[in-house]
Amino acid sequence: MNYWMVKSEPEAYSFAQFRKDKTTAWTGVRSFPARVHLRAMKKGDEVFFYHSVSEKAVIGLATVIKTAYPDPTVEADEKGEWLCVDLKVGKALPRPVTLEEIKRHRDLKNLPLVRQGRLSVLPVTSAEASSLRRLGGL
């Protein structure tokens, strides 16, 4: 199994809305490095859901239920082969893990969230996933 993190502004699509929806197509990603990560996601991979901008915290978990396919939200004038994946909501973390906390935790210092803050889909190592779960109360 691989581990990933997806980022969303809670005002645009929150984990609370994801819980109501139960599943979602993770569309709208328009970054070449993030597209590489979407393409690498496999069914059953665990995904950390991060609220960006206003909250800056890992909020919950999800699972990849459908691997990369063409993003249906692509506009006719957009260049590039953009992809999306389908996610199924998982548990909310009992305690959100803030970006400040992540930056202070030595096991998470190499997490791409810290090093490449603008990346919207990023890989998480197994050790980082364990640390995030532990910090989040799971």
Side-chain angles (χ1 to χ4, degrees):
M1 177 190 306
N2 293 309
Y3 303 92
W4 306 95
M5 185 177 292
V6 296
K7 294 166 54 178
S8 179
E9 295 177 25
E11 298 79 17
Y13 190 72
S14 68
F15 191 72
Q17 183 61 52
F18 186 23
R19 290 183 81 176
K20 289 178 188 173
D21 296 344
K22 297 186 180 19
T23 63
T24 191
W26 201 256
T27 61
V29 176
R30 302 295 186 267
S31 157
F32 291 105
R35 181 180 69 182
V36 169
H37 299 315
L38 286 170
R39 189 176 282 134
M41 289 178 159
K42 303 292 182 219
K43 191 173 180 179
D45 284 354
E46 186 174 76
V47 179
F48 291 88
F49 194 105
Y50 180 85
H51 276 175
S52 61
V53 183
S54 59
E55 292 183 32
K56 297 183 182 177
V58 178
I59 301 297
L61 300 173
T63 303
V64 177
I65 58 171
K66 184 176 180 182
T67 58
Y69 62 95
D71 185 334
T73 67
V74 171
E75 298 289 330
D77 63 341
E78 287 183 283
K79 292 187 171 41
E81 181 185 320
W82 301 114
L83 304 170
C84 64
V85 297
D86 288 354
L87 302 176
K88 179 180 177 184
V89 73
K91 294 179 181 180
L93 294 180
R95 193 179 77 68
V97 183
T98 67
L99 179 58
E100 279 196 15
E101 198 173 357
I102 289 168
K103 287 180 175 180
R104 287 193 313 263
H105 198 280
R106 73 167 197 253
D107 292 343
L108 299 172
K109 68 181 178 186
N110 291 318
L111 187 67
L113 177 67
V114 175
R115 296 181 295 113
Q116 297 171 302
R118 296 187 49 95
L119 197 57
S120 61
V121 179
L122 46 111
V124 175
T125 67
S126 178
E128 291 165 342
S130 294
S131 292
L132 288 169
R133 271 194 238 95
R134 187 172 53 256
L135 289 169
L138 294 178

